[in-house]
Amino acid sequence: MSELAKKQGLQVVVFRLSNEEFAIDIQQLREVLKYVDITRLPQTSHFIEGVINLRGDVIPVIDLRKRFGICEGTIDARTRIIIVEITDQLLGLVVDQVSEVLYFSGDQIQDPPKGIIGDKSRFIRGIGKKDNRLIIILSPDMVISSEEKVELRELLPEQEAVA
Amino acid sequence: MSCGSCCLSKRQWPEIQLIGGAAVDINEYRDIFLAESREYLQNLNDSLLRLEKEPENLELIQQMFRSAHSLKGMSATMGYDCVMKLTHEMENLLQLLRDGSLCLSKELADVLFSSLDALEAQLASVENGEKDAVSVLPVLEKLSAACSSAQAAKGLPHFAGNNGESRLASEPFALEEFEKVIIREAFALGDNVYWLEVNISKDSLLKSVRAYMVIKALEEHGTLLKVKPSISELEEDKFDHAFHVLYQTAVSEKEVVSKIYDILEIERVRVEKINESQLFTAGAGGDIVTGSFRTIPQVETPSSTRVSLLDKTVRVDTSKLDTLINLVGELVINRTRLVELGRQSSDLGIAEAAEQLDRITSDLQSAVMKLRMVPIKQVFDRFPRMVRDLGKDMGKNVRLEIVGDTTELDRSIVNQIGEPLVHLLRNAVDHGIETEEERKKAGKSPEGHIRLEARHEGSYVAIEVKDDGRGLNEELIIEKALRQKIITREEAEKKKGAAVYSLIFENGFSTAEEVTDISGRGVGMDAVKKIVEKLNGLIDIQSTPGKGTNITIRLPLTLAIIKALLVTAGGETYAIPVENVSENLYIHADDIHDIYRQKVISLRNEVIPLVPLEKSLFGRDNLQWDCEVPAVIVTAGEKKAGLLVDQLLGQQEIVIKALSSMLGKIKGIAGATILGNGRVALILNVATLT
């Protein structure tokens, strides 16, 4: 977590993948769409779902559930595509549900626990703690730039760390 | 002489005021400066080329003078000294040409051309943010040498460039002819014209600022016809506490003086009222003409030319244009949806409104698409000069004829086609056109002729470079191709005519016997062909020995929209560019053969491999082979294949959208487009599809 975020806190958008709560920095979020049909792309990573039309722009979409090795979720009325901006480019992320916008003050954000998840910490900006909830704040840049396989459980701090 | 003086106009002043308020970021104006300067430079080049042919044409000299003058004013405002000095010296030379003390010789034209090149280099360095990085001294010296030799011939003292201006302050003023015309116009308006001498206190530390304030104050109540030393010199502090202003105003002498004395540190102001008779008699020390007064046709202040240049066009950031085009593209897509809904609706009103919207949107789309189109003149304009220089360097007499330079092409194509054309023209001058002696021997006119033509041909624009030179030598090409191991001897024997000529497009081919400075520097015709192919264009070559060579490039009108055949496979829609489609057909299961586990069909005695599209892209084979299968026979270069699809949907114009660079290159996919229903369809890249 950057020093600045620690000082000023961080406003995030919280979403669900399976039963876990994740978040991304609201500064990186452009909009949240209802699930739309995705055009499949051949010969790309397994987690790249395809491309969608966002008001005339063709943008790639990643299924975060597949990215983190959670079994393919079903698509229902709550499924959303969140559009994030990464180095001037737009990217869609399929998530199970978008729940709320939260504010974490500096002292509510912890660095990713290095010892536990090793180099996978690159995917995480920090861990937000609030009212007994534990929310992983993702770094979307890493989510797409790496081909590396990541399992969700690797991202989760062990239960004792929570307690 | 009028060396350091400057005929001012109202339009130039507001810019100087911008500088006066030092807070204004000059870079903001740099792009405008560059764009306008390039226009003036082009103008100078064009006029000079014409002037070379008709040296007596005063109007051309006048035009050049105006362009140089405007450039000078702008560069002084922006603080680009080198540009200013160059244009200033050019002005001096042009002045001599204009008043007839000099005649445009070939050498003089070269000096002027080289100064235009220096200007170009200066503008380039301004663009790259290296202010005055390139030295202009050699060119400046050439220019002033040309001036002074003319002066010497005329028995006049050589005026001393930019230095030693201070002596002018104590001299009586001398007027140039066009200034006199302006003064006479002022009288006609009933205005007064004053000759002011302003002395700034010797103790002043800010004399250039005081001078600036005086000029600004004067500007509020009238027009400054002439300032000595020039404004740029005043700004740079290059004056000796006193300066002169020729001032046109409606207010009285007394008021003018009091206005000036309002400014601090003004020591003394002397005013002399000018009356009409003085104009003709008070010609002390200068080049005042008595007797017949040669009126220069159409005396315009430089600013008025500038206004007219800007009036016709609006400069818009290209990214704004692209946004507009994208938005309209989206509107078109939504229109299609709405029109579909309108058709399904039982409400007649809605259907009617949708239809009307349909029409308007179509018109809007074609209007917006035209915004992308620019005349190819932008590229052609620099060629006359280039061909002239090339011809001169090689001792050849070449005339370039340009036809159809108003033909419009997509902006991005125009931006890229310049380089190949330069190459073709260089080749034509270097290898095509013979020397004068050779041409005379062959019974041709001594002057070589190159014709550069652009014209519409259906949905293509053809650009043709045609010379009347010696033509291509088939034997030489084959010999060379053999030596470079581009073809084998067996292949060579089979080739004839155009097939031989097209060898020059092969990688590493160059026919120049000896490598000249101009062509044959490694990048050859193969580079030309590559660029043309990148633009989805075609290149064609014809040649008759002894008669000349003719190279035609055909380019699509636009890159953004292509015609495509839409097909479906595995539930997705795909677009295949029609250039790649040779035919559509339904293949019956009985006609399919297996050769080495590859399914093929025999079509008119040609064996064509079959590729199920879905399998090729996703590795899934869901085709049912027991019925008729729709197929698209696609070609890419020499390769041919039959793509098996689920459904043929028909042809449509599609807008090409690039795929995000995050995805990298995807084999078999060239890009994407958005369909009428809002969904994304992938555009197939047939060449990389397997």
PDB file of all heavy atoms in Angstrom, chain B residues 543-556:
ATOM      1  N   SER B 543       6.090  -0.612 -68.342  1.00  0.00           N
ATOM      2  CA  SER B 543       7.236   0.089 -68.891  1.00  0.00           C
ATOM      3  C   SER B 543       7.413  -0.273 -70.358  1.00  0.00           C
ATOM      4  O   SER B 543       7.144  -1.399 -70.776  1.00  0.00           O
ATOM      5  CB  SER B 543       8.486  -0.295 -68.105  1.00  0.00           C
ATOM      6  OG  SER B 543       9.579   0.461 -68.581  1.00  0.00           O
ATOM      7  N   THR B 544       7.819   0.718 -71.136  1.00  0.00           N
ATOM      8  CA  THR B 544       8.152   0.478 -72.535  1.00  0.00           C
ATOM      9  C   THR B 544       9.580   0.962 -72.733  1.00  0.00           C
ATOM     10  O   THR B 544       9.864   2.134 -72.486  1.00  0.00           O
ATOM     11  CB  THR B 544       7.216   1.280 -73.467  1.00  0.00           C
ATOM     12  OG1 THR B 544       5.890   1.191 -72.948  1.00  0.00           O
ATOM     13  CG2 THR B 544       7.268   0.735 -74.872  1.00  0.00           C
ATOM     14  N   PRO B 545      10.474   0.080 -73.169  1.00  0.00           N
ATOM     15  CA  PRO B 545      11.857   0.513 -73.337  1.00  0.00           C
ATOM     16  C   PRO B 545      11.950   1.715 -74.261  1.00  0.00           C
ATOM     17  O   PRO B 545      11.338   1.732 -75.329  1.00  0.00           O
ATOM     18  CB  PRO B 545      12.527  -0.718 -73.960  1.00  0.00           C
ATOM     19  CG  PRO B 545      11.688  -1.864 -73.535  1.00  0.00           C
ATOM     20  CD  PRO B 545      10.296  -1.345 -73.445  1.00  0.00           C
ATOM     21  N   GLY B 546      12.653   2.707 -73.830  1.00  0.00           N
ATOM     22  CA  GLY B 546      12.840   3.909 -74.637  1.00  0.00           C
ATOM     23  C   GLY B 546      11.708   4.909 -74.512  1.00  0.00           C
ATOM     24  O   GLY B 546      11.855   6.069 -74.883  1.00  0.00           O
ATOM     25  N   LYS B 547      10.550   4.484 -73.959  1.00  0.00           N
ATOM     26  CA  LYS B 547       9.393   5.397 -73.909  1.00  0.00           C
ATOM     27  C   LYS B 547       9.111   5.883 -72.493  1.00  0.00           C
ATOM     28  O   LYS B 547       8.584   6.965 -72.292  1.00  0.00           O
ATOM     29  CB  LYS B 547       8.146   4.682 -74.453  1.00  0.00           C
ATOM     30  CG  LYS B 547       8.194   4.457 -75.951  1.00  0.00           C
ATOM     31  CD  LYS B 547       7.421   5.569 -76.667  1.00  0.00           C
ATOM     32  CE  LYS B 547       7.656   5.552 -78.176  1.00  0.00           C
ATOM     33  NZ  LYS B 547       7.162   4.333 -78.814  1.00  0.00           N
ATOM     34  N   GLY B 548       9.414   5.047 -71.520  1.00  0.00           N
ATOM     35  CA  GLY B 548       9.160   5.480 -70.151  1.00  0.00           C
ATOM     36  C   GLY B 548       8.551   4.408 -69.284  1.00  0.00           C
ATOM     37  O   GLY B 548       8.249   3.309 -69.741  1.00  0.00           O
ATOM     38  N   THR B 549       8.385   4.764 -68.024  1.00  0.00           N
ATOM     39  CA  THR B 549       7.876   3.829 -67.028  1.00  0.00           C
ATOM     40  C   THR B 549       6.651   4.437 -66.365  1.00  0.00           C
ATOM     41  O   THR B 549       6.558   5.654 -66.224  1.00  0.00           O
ATOM     42  CB  THR B 549       8.947   3.541 -65.954  1.00  0.00           C
ATOM     43  OG1 THR B 549      10.141   3.152 -66.621  1.00  0.00           O
ATOM     44  CG2 THR B 549       8.509   2.458 -65.000  1.00  0.00           C
ATOM     45  N   ASN B 550       5.746   3.563 -65.967  1.00  0.00           N
ATOM     46  CA  ASN B 550       4.491   4.021 -65.413  1.00  0.00           C
ATOM     47  C   ASN B 550       4.161   3.161 -64.196  1.00  0.00           C
ATOM     48  O   ASN B 550       3.913   1.970 -64.334  1.00  0.00           O
ATOM     49  CB  ASN B 550       3.435   3.858 -66.515  1.00  0.00           C
ATOM     50  CG  ASN B 550       2.117   4.437 -66.108  1.00  0.00           C
ATOM     51  OD1 ASN B 550       1.940   4.805 -64.949  1.00  0.00           O
ATOM     52  ND2 ASN B 550       1.196   4.505 -67.028  1.00  0.00           N
ATOM     53  N   ILE B 551       4.208   3.766 -63.012  1.00  0.00           N
ATOM     54  CA  ILE B 551       3.911   2.999 -61.805  1.00  0.00           C
ATOM     55  C   ILE B 551       2.621   3.529 -61.189  1.00  0.00           C
ATOM     56  O   ILE B 551       2.477   4.730 -60.983  1.00  0.00           O
ATOM     57  CB  ILE B 551       5.064   3.093 -60.787  1.00  0.00           C
ATOM     58  CG1 ILE B 551       6.321   2.479 -61.401  1.00  0.00           C
ATOM     59  CG2 ILE B 551       4.695   2.381 -59.486  1.00  0.00           C
ATOM     60  CD1 ILE B 551       7.530   2.557 -60.522  1.00  0.00           C
ATOM     61  N   THR B 552       1.685   2.637 -60.945  1.00  0.00           N
ATOM     62  CA  THR B 552       0.401   3.056 -60.386  1.00  0.00           C
ATOM     63  C   THR B 552       0.191   2.409 -59.029  1.00  0.00           C
ATOM     64  O   THR B 552       0.351   1.203 -58.873  1.00  0.00           O
ATOM     65  CB  THR B 552      -0.754   2.653 -61.323  1.00  0.00           C
ATOM     66  OG1 THR B 552      -0.436   3.079 -62.636  1.00  0.00           O
ATOM     67  CG2 THR B 552      -2.043   3.306 -60.893  1.00  0.00           C
ATOM     68  N   ILE B 553      -0.154   3.252 -58.066  1.00  0.00           N
ATOM     69  CA  ILE B 553      -0.508   2.751 -56.740  1.00  0.00           C
ATOM     70  C   ILE B 553      -2.017   2.915 -56.597  1.00  0.00           C
ATOM     71  O   ILE B 553      -2.555   3.975 -56.885  1.00  0.00           O
ATOM     72  CB  ILE B 553       0.204   3.569 -55.642  1.00  0.00           C
ATOM     73  CG1 ILE B 553       1.708   3.390 -55.736  1.00  0.00           C
ATOM     74  CG2 ILE B 553      -0.294   3.176 -54.262  1.00  0.00           C
ATOM     75  CD1 ILE B 553       2.472   4.284 -54.778  1.00  0.00           C
ATOM     76  N   ARG B 554      -2.686   1.868 -56.166  1.00  0.00           N
ATOM     77  CA  ARG B 554      -4.128   1.994 -55.916  1.00  0.00           C
ATOM     78  C   ARG B 554      -4.372   1.820 -54.423  1.00  0.00           C
ATOM     79  O   ARG B 554      -3.954   0.820 -53.835  1.00  0.00           O
ATOM     80  CB  ARG B 554      -4.903   0.951 -56.716  1.00  0.00           C
ATOM     81  CG  ARG B 554      -4.974   1.299 -58.182  1.00  0.00           C
ATOM     82  CD  ARG B 554      -5.903   0.394 -58.971  1.00  0.00           C
ATOM     83  NE  ARG B 554      -5.925   0.859 -60.360  1.00  0.00           N
ATOM     84  CZ  ARG B 554      -4.961   0.582 -61.226  1.00  0.00           C
ATOM     85  NH1 ARG B 554      -3.931  -0.147 -60.850  1.00  0.00           N
ATOM     86  NH2 ARG B 554      -5.022   1.056 -62.457  1.00  0.00           N
ATOM     87  N   LEU B 555      -5.044   2.802 -53.849  1.00  0.00           N
ATOM     88  CA  LEU B 555      -5.270   2.776 -52.401  1.00  0.00           C
ATOM     89  C   LEU B 555      -6.757   2.836 -52.099  1.00  0.00           C
ATOM     90  O   LEU B 555      -7.504   3.506 -52.815  1.00  0.00           O
ATOM     91  CB  LEU B 555      -4.596   3.984 -51.750  1.00  0.00           C
ATOM     92  CG  LEU B 555      -3.085   4.068 -51.885  1.00  0.00           C
ATOM     93  CD1 LEU B 555      -2.616   5.466 -51.559  1.00  0.00           C
ATOM     94  CD2 LEU B 555      -2.424   3.053 -50.979  1.00  0.00           C
ATOM     95  N   PRO B 556      -7.201   2.157 -51.043  1.00  0.00           N
ATOM     96  CA  PRO B 556      -8.610   2.278 -50.667  1.00  0.00           C
ATOM     97  C   PRO B 556      -8.886   3.705 -50.197  1.00  0.00           C
ATOM     98  O   PRO B 556      -8.002   4.370 -49.664  1.00  0.00           O
ATOM     99  CB  PRO B 556      -8.758   1.279 -49.530  1.00  0.00           C
ATOM    100  CG  PRO B 556      -7.376   1.108 -48.989  1.00  0.00           C
ATOM    101  CD  PRO B 556      -6.451   1.295 -50.147  1.00  0.00           C
TER     102      PRO B 556
END
